[in-house]
Amino acid sequence: MTRILLLGGTTEASRLANALAARGADAIFSYAGRTHALAGQPLAMRVGGFGGVDGLRQYLRDEKITHVIDATHPFAAQMSAHAVAACQVEGVELCAFEREAWSPAPADRWTRVTDIAAAVEALPKTPTRVFLAIGRQNLQAFAARPEHFYLLRLVDAAPDPLPFPQAEAVIARGPFTEESDRALLETYRIELIVAKNSGGEGARAKLDAARKLGIPVILIDRPAIPPRRVAGTIDAVLHWLDHAAPPAERGV
Ligand code: NAP
């Protein structure tokens, strides 16, 4: 019997959950539990880390998982690497849903950097009003540059205190529109955006708005993830599910 573990935390994971439920799949949706406002979805759910590769291996065995769908965010590289390692050893089929990375249009003013540290390094030397659109996990790295004003956009309440002397947080959950992001950039008189190259439609709005307003962007490249099977659409994931090797009998 096919039993699926869906690693989530993205809009596409929630869409996949709906698609799996619609076809009556036996599937468990796993969240890291970083945000408090968990979106409602129709599958059985578990929340929290597995305890590294060994913990995930144990979980796959205990739950008799035959297929893992990794629909985590492209920057959730640790979870994805753990999934590759655990599935390999346990002989579980794995497919990752991977959004296409964004690439620049001619009018975009992007500086591409390899990681968070390089983004901090690439900040201007003079005080600047920055939209720091990177979520909440890596904010501390920017505390080294307190001369800037930082606008944050977070899903949950902002950390208190914020690690910057000049900052404001708006609490909002995507997807966003170009129009509303343009209004946000204008309201806060933003001069520079720092963002992750997440890909996807809803998070792209800020880049489209930046292009219209001529605002430069420091765009952080995705972290490397070990080689794995990848699907670029929800349909492709479902197709893989239907055609992946049939589950072997798992030892009891
Ligand atoms: P990460 O650095 O790759 O993962 C750190 C640890 O969190 C993992 O080793 C695992 O703990 C646990 N974990 C992550 N995703 C999990 C899941 N879906 N189910 C159960 N445990 C999970 O990931 P992250 O960057 O902290 O992201 C955490 C979650 O937020 C992910 O689900 C991701 O999709 C979502 N998210 C991340 C970003 C981002 O920019 N990083 C943006 C939007 C959404 P154990 O080692 O104990 O198993």
Side-chain angles (χ1 to χ4, degrees), residues 8-9 30-32 34 48-52 72-73 76-79 82 137 196:
S30 176
Y31 286 101
R34 297 278 193 280
F50 297 95
T72 57
H73 189 270
Q78 182 168 303
M79 184 69 251
H82 289 179
Q137 282 187 48
K196 296 173 173 174

Side-chain angles (χ1 to χ4, degrees), residues 3-17:
R3 187 158 158 79
I4 302 158
L5 173 64
L6 172 62
L7 301 172
T10 57
T11 315
E12 292 84 357
S14 303
R15 281 200 211 124
L16 265 163

